[in-house]
Amino acid sequence: MVARFIGHQRSGVQEINSDNNAVLSIYPNPVSSLFKVEAIGEGIKNIRIIDAFGREVMRLEADNNGDQTKIFTGTTSNIPNGVYYCIAQNGQQQFVRKLLVLH
């Protein structure tokens, strides 16, 4: 998998996976309460949030039904401070971004 990092006006850094141009952005990051995940690419239906042990702590469903760009909204009120991972699945490929929670 070839990836490059580019600056992003809302969250600082995002990764573009050049295999199929899917983009996953989290903002704000770090987050204290409410956050959004923007997924650009076909086939992404939900976002799973997992902890460092691989346990799913949250699943986000899209706020809109756009074909290419989907917005997912979540809150960290029920999870403790720490590093989590946002995972989007597009067919056989997974896209992963870190989410830092600081209350």
Side-chain angles (χ1 to χ4, degrees):
M1 176 189 318
V2 177
R4 67 176 189 251
F5 290 91
I6 61 173
H8 192 279
Q9 65 186 6
R10 291 177 286 206
S11 64
V13 176
Q14 69 180 353
E15 182 181 76
I16 294 179
N17 181 327
S18 60
D19 292 336
N20 64 2
N21 294 325
V23 176
L24 191 63
S25 301
I26 304 168
Y27 52 93
N29 197 7
V31 62
S32 61
S33 61
L34 187 66
F35 67 98
K36 292 191 182 281
V37 179
E38 180 179 29
I40 301 172
E42 293 182 31
I44 297 174
K45 306 252 188 291
N46 58 51
I47 304 289
R48 294 184 311 126
I49 311 296
I50 63 169
D51 64 14
F53 298 105
R55 296 177 296 212
E56 184 175 303
V57 296
M58 185 183 318
R59 184 176 291 255
L60 306 175
E61 301 296 328
D63 294 341
N64 62 345
N65 293 323
D67 290 337
Q68 285 291 323
T69 302
K70 292 190 172 47
I71 305 294
F72 302 84
T73 303
T75 181
T76 61
S77 60
N78 293 329
I79 59 175
N81 290 345
V83 176
Y84 297 86
Y85 299 92
C86 295
I87 300 175
Q89 182 117 12
N90 182 357
Q92 294 297 322
Q93 291 189 321
Q94 285 189 350
F95 305 93
V96 180
R97 299 293 176 272
K98 286 184 185 177
L99 173 67
L100 180 59
V101 176
L102 297 173
H103 295 287

